[in-house]
Amino acid sequence: MRNENILKYGILNGEVVDSDKIEEVLKTNKVKVYDVLRLVNSKPLYFENHLDRLNRSIELIGYEDRYYENDFKKDIEKLVVKSGRTNNNIKTTYFEEDQPIKVLYMVKSTYPKEDKYSEGYKTILMYEERENPNAKVLNEERRKIVNEILKDVGADEAIFLTENKVVLEGSRSNLFFVKGEKIITSPDERVLLGTTRQKILEICEKNNISVLKREIMLDELNFFDAAFVTGTSIDIMPINRIDTIRFSTNNKVVKKLTGLYNKDKLEYLKNYKRA
């Protein structure tokens, strides 16, 4: 996490400690489960969904402890009060040595401007597949390689592709396609179960928007009307191209879903209860 923590301190097992201590703790070679939450006006967006995903990842790795709702909320609030930052991303990391280790700190956060949503993301294909896709585990080497490639080619995101030409997900986002009135996305067992993805699926079910989960092959990408990715910092981001395949960023289904999602966000934040 070198240079990742933007503050001079963070939270370690419920206590405020300096950033050097956190950096030292995170040097372990133990498998690390992590998640990134987005603060909106000091409230962690979709907190319960993030909590569930963290604990599911911990269970999949085989660790024994878990995150507890009230303690986790208190740690977030402690960091918000001390830093004064109310709109920022918070990263939490978990692993077990002699005892469970829970670390929390703020990271550099950038959110797309409005014109980016009109323009859409330029994405590239990359042969890559997560070993245990349902567990959100740190892989710093892969992240470094992906970031370098994206910078070199001037792309916004990389879309993972298997050796059998199955299109899966983004390197840090979930992937959806649109055909007519229907949304198509990868099966749950093949991808990281992102919090925003989960919320999109819930919204679709509530609003009778048809969703089909199935394998998506590379040679059928030209078949789709639109594509978009979802994530904590980007919400719903239209894709304008995957390699040389172009998509509309003005699709009515994507626009409808974006409106429903934004409405859901506001409602959630209005009703959020602090620790």
Side-chain angles (χ1 to χ4, degrees):
M1 52 80 66
R2 181 174 293 277
N3 299 325
E4 193 177 39
N5 185 357
I6 61 173
L7 304 175
K8 295 181 179 179
Y9 50 83
I11 307 292
L12 173 60
N13 287 352
E15 301 295 328
V16 177
V17 299
D18 64 50
S19 57
D20 289 341
K21 175 65 175 177
I22 289 178
E23 187 169 326
E24 185 65 30
V25 166
L26 290 176
K27 285 180 179 177
T28 179
N29 290 323
K30 293 286 186 178
V31 175
K32 304 182 192 78
V33 170
Y34 81 101
D35 204 358
V36 177
L37 297 83
R38 180 174 179 175
L39 290 175
V40 181
N41 296 328
S42 79
K43 300 175 181 179
L45 182 63
Y46 298 132
F47 170 85
E48 294 80 7
N49 299 80
H50 284 283
L51 178 67
D52 288 345
R53 181 168 69 168
L54 276 164
N55 286 331
R56 184 169 58 246
S57 293
I58 289 169
E59 184 178 355
L60 285 170
I61 295 303
Y63 286 145
E64 296 180 356
D65 201 21
R66 58 184 286 115
Y67 279 77
Y68 299 93
E69 180 174 338
N70 206 52
D71 291 342
F72 194 18
K73 281 186 175 182
K74 285 181 179 178
D75 284 351
I76 292 171
E77 290 165 15
K78 195 178 297 183
L79 198 56
V80 170
V81 169
K82 184 170 177 61
S83 68
R85 292 176 178 263
T86 58
N87 291 279
N88 206 91
N89 285 358
I90 290 180
K91 184 171 183 176
T92 186
T93 304
Y94 176 95
F95 61 95
E96 293 180 8
E97 289 188 316
D98 297 331
Q99 63 174 332
I101 302 295
K102 298 171 185 173
V103 172
L104 198 71
Y105 54 89
M106 290 200 179
V107 293
K108 182 179 179 181
S109 309
T110 56
Y111 308 111
K113 296 180 179 179
E114 280 303 313
D115 57 355
K116 190 63 178 179
Y117 290 97
S118 299
E119 175 190 341
Y121 264 11
K122 173 186 175 183
T123 69
I124 58 171
L125 290 166
M126 177 179 293
Y127 284 98
E128 184 66 72
E129 187 173 1
R130 288 185 172 90
E131 183 177 341
N132 188 355
N134 284 179
K136 191 164 186 178
V137 175
L138 278 173
N139 187 328
E140 294 174 347
E141 184 61 29
R142 179 172 62 199
R143 169 52 50 204
K144 180 181 177 182
I145 291 171
V146 171
N147 285 343
E148 288 175 352
I149 292 172
L150 292 176
K151 183 178 180 180
D152 287 345
V153 301
D156 299 297
E157 174 63 304
I159 303 300
F160 286 172
L161 181 72
T162 73
E163 292 182 357
N164 295 325
K165 304 292 195 299
V166 178
V167 180
L168 294 173
E169 58 186 331
S171 69
R172 52 192 171 199
S173 61
N174 287 115
L175 176 65
F176 295 81
F177 292 95
V178 179
K179 182 61 180 178
E181 301 294 321
K182 183 175 291 185
I183 290 175
I184 301 96
T185 192
S186 297
D188 291 354
E189 64 271 14
R190 298 301 302 273
V191 298
L192 190 65
L193 302 178
T195 297
T196 310
R197 176 184 188 268
Q198 179 183 345
K199 189 55 61 175
I200 293 301
L201 295 175
E202 291 174 6
I203 290 170
C204 286
E205 184 175 2
K206 287 179 184 176
N207 291 275
N208 297 314
I209 299 173
S210 179
V211 176
L212 177 62
K213 296 179 184 178
R214 66 167 176 83
E215 285 194 344
I216 300 162
M217 304 306 297
L218 177 61
D219 62 8
E220 63 177 319
L221 294 193
N222 280 309
F223 165 80
F224 298 116
D225 301 324
F228 62 93
V229 285
T230 61
T232 297
S233 294
I234 61 174
D235 294 333
I236 299 174
M237 175 61 69
I239 290 175
N240 66 50
R241 62 188 293 178
I242 299 178
D243 275 356
T244 59
I245 303 168
R246 294 189 175 275
F247 298 93
S248 169
T249 59
N250 194 34
N251 180 269
K252 65 178 183 179
V253 175
V254 179
K255 285 185 174 295
K256 176 182 178 180
L257 190 55
T258 299
L260 291 169
Y261 175 79
N262 289 337
K263 181 180 178 182
D264 189 86
K265 276 174 59 177
L266 292 174
E267 190 67 21
Y268 176 86
L269 293 167
K270 177 183 176 182
N271 295 319
Y272 176 80
K273 290 181 172 56
R274 303 183 190 277

